[in-house]
Structure formats: C-alpha cells, structure tokens
Amino acid sequence: MGRLMDSPSVKTPAKTSVLLCGDRASELAMGSFAEGVSVQIVPELCQSTRNIGQLALGATSLVVGVCSGEYSLGAIQTQARKVGLDALGVELVDLNCANGDPERLRLMVGAAVARAAAFGGSRLGNAKQTFPSRMTRRSLFRLSVPAYVSAPQPDSTRCTAGTGCHACVAVCSRGALAWTKGVITHDNAACEPCGLCVTACPTGAMVDPGITPRQLEAQIRALLDPGVGPVGARGIVYTCRRAGVSETNAGWYPVVVACTGMVPPSWLLAPLLLGAGATAARPCGDSDCPMHNDERLASTVAYCHAFLEAVGIDSGLVSMSTDVPRSGLDRRVEPDDPFGPFAADVLRALADVGQHSGDVVLDHPASPVGIIKIGVEACTGCTICAQSCPTGALAWRVDSEVGGVDDVVGGVGDVVGGGRDVVGGGREEITFDASLCTACGQCLPRCPEASRDAITLSVTTDVAALRREREVLFAENVMRCVSCGKPIAPTKMMARIRDLIGDDAEPVMRVLTRYCVDCRGAGVPPHSAE
Amino acid sequence: MTKARAKAAPEMEESLNWAELTLLRQGLYRFFGAVFMAPSQDGIQALGAGALVLDSLGIDRFAYSGPWQKLRSAMGALQSATDLEAIYISLFVVGGGRTPCPPVESHYVGDPSKGEAGVFDAELKRYYQDLGLALSSTHRHTHDHLSVELEVMSALCAREHTAWEDGVFGAAAGEQRCELDFLNKHLGTWLGLFACRVAEAQSAGFYSDAAAACWAFVHHDHEFLRLIVQMRDDPESDD
C-alpha cells in the first residue's frame, strides 16, 4: 500500500503555538506534533509570562503548559491579546497531570492543541472578569491584572425565547438570566459561569465559547487517538474549571468544564463510543462552591448506570471516581454530533452496541430525552404545544387547498426542522419525533388544556421510540370557511368552545364555525355562502 | 530562582496600580467622548495622539483590547476630516429623512413621540449639578448626548484618580459609586442599543468600529465597577 504523496514542500507557518514551562517540561522529551504546531520549552514560564506574546507571534491559537500555581492567568491573557489572539481561547495544560510520563504529556498537549484549534471565538459579554474573592487592605494599593473566564451568552440566531422558551432561566441558580418579552438577557456580573444553562438549552443556543461541543469533541477525540500516547485503556474524566485539575490516576485524562454539574448524560456516554475505556465526572468537593451541583451530577451518573445496565453494557464504565480505567466497549460506533444538544443518537448507538433485544424503557429524572403524550379527549388541536417546542420534536401540519400553509399557521418549525407541511384531506395533525425531544417541558405550561391532561411529558428514555419515525399524536378534521375555503379550526376546538360558552352558544357558533377570522371581520354577508 | 522569589515575581510584574488604572479609564472615556463629536482635522490628529498615549497605559490587559485594536486599525486608515464629516452627518445628524443612529439617550430610553427629550435634558442637567458638574457654554450638545455622558464619566474618573493619588481611599470608593450609579441609570442603559444601531447602519468603517470599541469598554468598565463595589460591600471583606 502506498502512502498519499506529501504536500508540496511549501512550509506553512505555525498556527498553534505551544509554550511549556521548562521547569517541568524540560524533563520530558516532547515528540513531534502535527504540522502547524510549534512547541517551545520556556524556562520559568510560570514565573514570568512577559515573553509569551513574542514567542507566540503569528500563531492563531495558543497552548500554555504550566507547572505551578504561581502563574498569572491575567498576565498570560494579556500576552495573548498583544499578538491579536482571543484570550478566552488560550488553553492551559497542567504539566503536573502528566505524572512525569512524556507520552502522557504529549497526548495531553496534543489534545489541548486540538481544543484550542476548535475555539470558535468569543463575543462581547463572553468575558467574565474575575477578581480575588475578597477585598483586602493590600488591594487598596494594587490589584492583580484581571483574569477572564468564558461566560455563556445566548446566540440569538438559535435561541427560541421568542416562542416562550426559558429553559436556561429555569436552571440558573444565580438569577443571572431573565426572559423579557421573548428575549433572554444575561447579567454577566451575577453569573458564576457553571454552564448549566449551556446544557439545559434544548437547541444549543446558549454558548460558552470556552466549552463548546466542537471543542470537547476535538479534545476527546485527540485524547483517544490510539496512534498517540501510552498504550492501554484511557479514561476521560471531566473536571471543574473552578477547582482546577487535580491529580489524576494514570490512564485517566482530564477534560475541563465550567462545573461538572453541567455535564449531561450524553457527554458521559459519548466518549465510550469514541473509544474511551471509561468516563467519569469528578465533583470538585469544594465546600465554598456556589453551584452545589454535586447532587445533579450524582443523578446524571445514576442515569448513565441505569441506561447502560438496561442496554446490557457494564454500568461501571461511567463513574464519579477515577479508578483504573476499564477496557471500554467491544465495538465503536460513531454517533452524529456526540456532544450536541440531542442525546438520541448517542443512546441509540449504545443500545446497538449493547445488542439488547428487548424494549428499553427507563424512567429517570436525569433522562436527556422524553416522551410526549397527547390526551386526545382533552386536546383541542390548538397546536400551541408544537408552536412552543424549541426543537421541533412536536410539530403540526394542516392541509391547505386554498392558499399556502404559511398563511394558516406559523411557528418554530423552520428553526430546527419539523413544523409546517401540507397534508391532504382537510385534517390537522400534531406529530412527535422522540429523537428531538430533550424533555425540556417548555410545551407543558403553554397548553390551555393542561389541567385536563391534554399533554403530558414522561422523562423517559424509550429506545424504541428514539428509533421510530415521527409519529402522529393527534389528528382531527378541520372546519373550513364557507366563504373563502381557508381552514378555521379543528372540529374539537369548536366543540370545546361550544361547551365553554354553554346554552347561548348557537348564535355565536353559527358564525364561528362558518367563517375564518378574515371573513368574519370583512363584512361577508352570512347568506353569501348559505 | 528561590521559591520565595518565584512566588513574588508574577505579582510584582503584573499587578495594577489603582491610580494608573483610573487614569486609563479616564482617558478612554475622554477619548470616546471626542470620537463622537463632529470631526475636524485637528480633532483627528488629537485622537491619534491620544490613542498612542492610551496604548502605552496597558489596554492589552483588558478584554476590550480586541475592539480597541480594531478601532486603531480603522484610525490608521482615516484620510481626511471631510470624508469622516459626511459619514458623521449621515449617521448621527440627518440621513434619508430620519437620523439612523441618534447619539442621544432620550432616543433609546424615552419615547421620542412624547417629546421626552426635553425632560431628559432637564433631568440630566440636575443630575450633573448634583455631581458638581455643568456643561460648558461652548458645548452645543444636549445633556444626554453620548459625548457629554462619556465626558461626565471621564470627569468622575479624574476625581477618583486624584483621590487615589492623594491616598484618600474613602473618597476614591465614593467616586466609584458615583460612576456606577451613572452607568446604571444612564450611559450603561442605552450605549449597547446605540452600538447595534451604528453596526446596522455602517457594517464596516470608522464609526462602527468606534461604537463597538466604546461599547466594549463601557460594558467591561460597568462590570468592573459592579464587581468592585459588590466586593467592597461584602461583609467578609477585611478592608
């Protein structure tokens, strides 16, 4: 087998600059990295960061390996800005985590390079200024250079707050997020970036530029690259940014997130499909932690255990501790977008790997997917649930022999798929795609008939449902305007209105059931279509 | 290097002096105040000189450095005041029947149809008087004009700077509270909307870069003041 020809001998300039503090890195023989990565060992880098800018000149991303807590993050970020880099994209590697193993160091640095290269840039508001937690007498004279951590901001192009979604607001324990007139506002000063809103957002619209699905995937794939690093099973352990990376056992590789409470089940399960021997998320154990997310993490891990067990996979592959990593799965399956907002693909892939033949139905409060049921007796077909579904898991269809469907209904269907379509026969349908449901529950409070159980959400993982095509939950004939032919409303809605109005309904119903909103207001004589 | 030296080195190297920091903030507010006044050849030269001074005060240490550098590039490409004047007028004075981005608070916060501009002007005049400030008679702008509000912040920072220089820390803290109050009630409430409006009206160019840099700076300064005041108010603080 021949190799592909190497590219012409035109040297491309280094794109990622890796600067390692020589106090630890010089002990280790750094191997070569991919083209475009320049590695320099800098004596006493942790103590003096002044040369970082000069050394990183021309780079498009920067990785800094530090070996002691003496370094100033603010000073490193300042140097990055000097050479035009986005300071929030600088990746730090704790060289102590290499445990003196050059192969391990090379793997970790390579993964940090991958994560830095996947950084997509930040926006105003993503930089959260940090200070020492207390003002001291000394700080009356001098302040340390401000260090910034990345904080989430809603991406208005993907945010569905306009339809009423406020899933991010519901999980914020700091009161930093608010929903006002269809817009999510973020108070950076109140935010203690924990990332809960990032993974709670059903559409992935809440973006923390330092912890994006793309970055995680890049870093984890690099850490699991069998062609690099020590031989043997590798574990992926999520660690809290606030607590810093502490000692990890050999064979375990840290991936920093804002807070391990933010880690959803799919982030713990996906690395197994990518080749990890095991995954873990370690609570910071910091009694001063303002997040108090340990319980949330414990529930997420418990869900992973239950799911793996249900599909016939060793549940010990996911844990909250870093014991010796296990050997992982027998087969590797590549899920689409493993760290994205939809967990269905990861769950389906694991069920395939587990080759479990029976039904897997798992009720668990941490389930990342859910099942919507519509009570056909109570539902009037108003479609508000589908209009408010952020992901398009719930959608609706109305036939339209007169005029386009867009004239009849509107909603979020065009944002994330699903939504509007044309069916024949004068009927309205509400449909459901379980693979798009994130169990966010945004549809529930908007249902006008919720008290009559017109809609219910089960926080349940049903693998068979995840594999099914979109299904029809509600179908009803639609009344049409006798004047212009446009749909008026489902017959069940008219029946409900009749019930609510009571005995005096007939005169009103005569108009309501015959004419659409436009013709009612247009002075169309009732006899014109009689 | 001994352990003790290693520990001390980064702190000495990278800490900030309050007086210097306040001087930088004062300079930036004044600089941006001048940017949004009607352009002149002398004014452009003064802006260039001022920007060089500000560069030397260590803007790289702050997150608004990126937008600032972009503005610096745009300033380098500036040709003449005449070109800038035409754009200034089309954006901020008149433009196709209506002003695309009026640089006045009352347009964004109040209801222009209710004639609230006068009310705003009077309220701000009183607010400035309470601070011991008054608009110079040579100034032709209203009290809620962006340049005036930025200049007010600059004046408050100048007082804070003096307090730090004199070692009167309580007075400096008091000035920071005044600055935060003004940002909370006025400048911080509408500058972001103004910057968005300028970006919509001029997708690239000096004024869109200037508005973006100004908003980035004020946004971060607002957050900085909130954090500082919040920490000082913290009962666990030992100062």
Side-chain angles (χ1 to χ4, degrees):
Chain A
M1 290 285 281
R3 284 184 58 201
L4 285 174
M5 290 282 288
D6 286 329
S7 54
S9 58
V10 178
K11 276 280 181 191
T12 52
K15 294 290 182 190
T16 302
S17 179
V18 179
L19 306 176
L20 304 175
C21 182
D23 293 355
R24 286 302 299 271
S26 57
E27 302 164 11
L28 310 168
M30 291 297 296
S32 62
F33 283 91
E35 193 179 354
V37 180
S38 132
V39 182
Q40 298 172 75
I41 294 175
V42 186
E44 297 184 350
L45 179 69
C46 292
Q47 285 77 43
S48 176
T49 53
R50 279 184 178 157
N51 293 329
I52 287 180
Q54 199 181 345
L55 295 169
L57 203 62
T60 52
S61 55
L62 175 62
V63 173
V64 179
V66 292
C67 61
S68 74
E70 308 297 341
Y71 70 89
S72 158
L73 176 60
I76 292 173
Q77 291 180 334
T78 300
Q79 292 292 318
R81 285 187 209 103
K82 279 186 196 294
V83 288
L85 294 176
D86 188 325
L88 294 183
V90 178
E91 283 295 323
L92 294 185
V93 179
D94 184 347
L95 300 178
N96 294 311
C97 287
N99 301 342
D101 178 352
E103 285 293 304
R104 183 175 161 85
L105 175 62
R106 189 161 165 248
L107 185 59
M108 287 173 55
V109 170
V113 167
R115 183 164 172 159
F119 178 73
S122 66
R123 295 185 298 146
L124 177 68
N126 283 133
K128 159 87 178 167
Q129 198 164 346
T130 60
F131 281 109
S133 58
R134 296 199 310 165
M135 287 288 276
T136 61
R137 289 179 200 286
R138 195 170 169 279
S139 61
L140 283 174
F141 301 97
R142 299 192 80 84
L143 266 180
S144 55
V145 171
Y148 296 87
V149 295
S150 62
Q153 288 279 312
D155 174 355
S156 58
T157 61
R158 280 186 281 169
C159 180
T160 56
T163 63
C165 179
H166 59 280
C168 53
V169 179
V171 296
C172 181
S173 61
R174 314 296 294 177
L177 290 163
W179 184 96
T180 313
K181 295 179 183 172
V183 176
I184 298 294
T185 54
H186 178 254
D187 179 354
N188 224 7
C191 178
E192 294 278 356
C194 65
L196 286 194
C197 56
V198 173
T199 45
C201 177
T203 61
M206 192 60 78
V207 179
D208 182 330
I211 305 163
T212 61
R214 192 164 156 254
Q215 286 173 293
L216 290 182
E217 185 174 353
Q219 185 181 14
I220 289 171
R221 281 189 188 278
L223 286 171
L224 299 175
D225 182 351
V228 184
V231 179
R234 294 174 192 166
I236 297 295
V237 54
Y238 292 99
T239 60
C240 174
R241 174 172 63 189
R242 176 178 287 269
V245 177
S246 53
E247 296 281 317
T248 47
N249 293 336
W252 286 89
Y253 293 89
V255 172
V256 176
V257 292
C259 165
T260 46
M262 77 178 286
V263 175
S266 57
W267 288 13
L268 281 166
L269 296 170
L272 300 174
L273 294 164
L274 303 179
T279 58
R282 205 160 45 185
C284 62
D286 181 355
S287 58
D288 292 333
C289 174
M291 318 302 181
H292 306 294
N293 284 329
D294 290 6
E295 277 183 30
R296 181 184 287 268
L297 174 61
S299 178
T300 303
V301 171
Y303 167 81
C304 293
H305 287 168
F307 178 77
L308 290 174
E309 205 167 295
V311 298
I313 296 174
D314 175 10
S315 63
L317 296 182
V318 174
S319 66
M320 289 173 71
S321 65
T322 52
D323 297 329
V324 177
R326 298 174 183 226
S327 55
L329 304 173
D330 297 332
R331 288 199 299 143
R332 279 180 68 171
V333 178
E334 289 282 330
D336 292 332
D337 195 13
F339 300 92
F342 301 112
D345 208 38
V346 170
L347 300 176
R348 274 190 304 241
L350 280 166
D352 288 343
V353 171
Q355 295 178 321
H356 188 77
S357 53
D359 289 344
V360 174
V361 180
L362 177 63
D363 287 322
H364 196 285
S367 170
V369 291
I371 298 290
I372 292 289
K373 288 199 170 73
I374 285 184
V376 290
E377 293 302 315
C379 178
T380 62
C382 70
T383 73
I384 287 175
C385 56
Q387 292 176 53
S388 59
C389 177
T391 65
L394 279 170
W396 78 102
R397 305 191 285 191
V398 181
D399 75 329
S400 177
E401 289 166 14
V402 181
V405 169
D406 287 0
D407 298 334
V408 183
V409 290
V412 294
D414 54 345
V415 178
V416 280
R420 306 164 207 153
D421 201 353
V422 176
V423 293
R427 284 172 75 77
E428 176 196 88
E429 291 178 348
I430 296 176
T431 62
F432 177 63
D433 182 343
S435 68
L436 294 176
C437 180
T438 61
C440 67
Q442 296 299 308
C443 51
L444 303 181
R446 288 174 188 76
C447 174
E449 302 294 338
S451 61
R452 298 169 64 222
D453 293 332
I455 188 167
T456 51
L457 165 68
S458 306
V459 186
T460 300
T461 302
D462 180 341
V463 173
L466 296 177
R467 287 182 172 135
R468 275 200 294 270
E469 296 287 315
R470 182 176 284 275
E471 57 190 318
V472 176
L473 298 186
F474 174 91
E476 184 62 58
N477 289 330
V478 174
M479 290 183 164
R480 293 186 167 280
C481 177
V482 295
S483 177
C484 70
K486 280 184 185 171
I488 304 172
T491 50
K492 289 192 75 171
M493 185 184 289
M494 287 301 173
R496 177 67 174 146
I497 291 171
R498 186 188 298 271
D499 288 348
L500 290 170
I501 295 175
D503 294 340
D504 300 330
E506 281 317 312
V508 178
M509 293 309 295
R510 203 172 301 130
V511 176
L512 289 184
T513 55
R514 282 176 171 75
Y515 301 103
C516 68
V517 175
D518 293 339
C519 291
R520 264 176 243 154
V524 176
H527 56 78
S528 65
E530 294 280 345
Chain B
M1 182 178 273
T2 65
K3 198 172 180 184
R5 266 186 68 202
K7 196 164 189 172
E11 291 179 1
M12 291 307 293
E13 203 175 273
E14 307 295 350
S15 59
L16 292 168
N17 178 310
W18 275 104
E20 287 167 10
L21 174 62
T22 313
L23 193 64
L24 170 65
R25 294 174 52 235
Q26 181 203 344
L28 279 165
Y29 277 115
R30 172 153 288 186
F31 175 87
F32 284 118
V35 162
F36 291 102
M37 292 209 272
S40 66
Q41 201 58 46
D42 289 348
I44 288 176
Q45 284 171 358
L47 284 178
L52 282 175
V53 173
L54 291 167
D55 281 339
S56 70
L57 294 175
I59 288 180
D60 291 333
R61 290 176 291 192
F62 301 95
Y64 50 82
S65 156
W68 169 260
Q69 293 305 338
K70 202 167 173 219
L71 173 62
R72 296 288 284 115
S73 302
M75 285 176 68
L78 280 182
Q79 298 292 323
S80 71
T82 318
D83 297 342
L84 210 54
E85 204 168 36
I87 301 167
Y88 183 89
I89 290 169
S90 70
L91 287 174
F92 306 129
V93 185
V94 287
R98 67 178 190 92
T99 312
C101 347
V104 288
E105 181 182 343
S106 52
H107 181 82
Y108 301 90
V109 179
D111 183 348
S113 65
K114 292 182 182 171
E116 288 179 337
V119 177
F120 258 90
D121 196 56
E123 270 181 17
L124 273 164
K125 190 177 178 184
R126 270 199 302 276
Y127 191 101
Y128 298 159
Q129 280 172 349
D130 290 346
L131 292 171
L133 299 169
L135 198 57
S136 159
S137 56
T138 57
H139 238 298
R140 287 170 296 167
H141 296 306
T142 55
H143 288 81
D144 66 340
H145 191 278
L146 176 57
S147 290
V148 177
E149 294 199 1
L150 288 164
E151 189 63 31
V152 166
M153 279 301 293
S154 177
L156 295 174
C157 288
R159 289 181 185 175
E160 185 195 335
H161 175 70
T162 306
W164 287 120
E165 289 276 274
D166 295 346
V168 189
F169 303 135
E175 294 299 340
Q176 285 178 340
R177 282 180 197 283
C178 288
E179 292 159 23
L180 179 60
D181 187 66
F182 186 64
L183 288 174
N184 283 341
K185 289 178 179 164
H186 295 287
L187 188 55
T189 61
W190 67 279
L191 185 54
L193 298 171
F194 168 76
C196 286
R197 195 72 79 80
V198 176
E200 283 166 14
Q202 192 195 32
S203 56
F206 174 75
Y207 282 112
S208 63
D209 289 338
C214 181
W215 170 230
F217 163 62
V218 173
H219 175 83
H220 282 96
D221 199 49
H222 196 170
E223 192 185 329
F224 166 78
L225 287 168
R226 276 198 284 189
L227 282 167
I228 290 293
V229 170
Q230 189 180 311
M231 279 199 299
R232 197 171 281 127
D233 289 347
D234 183 351
E236 288 187 16
S237 170
D238 64 354
D239 72 334

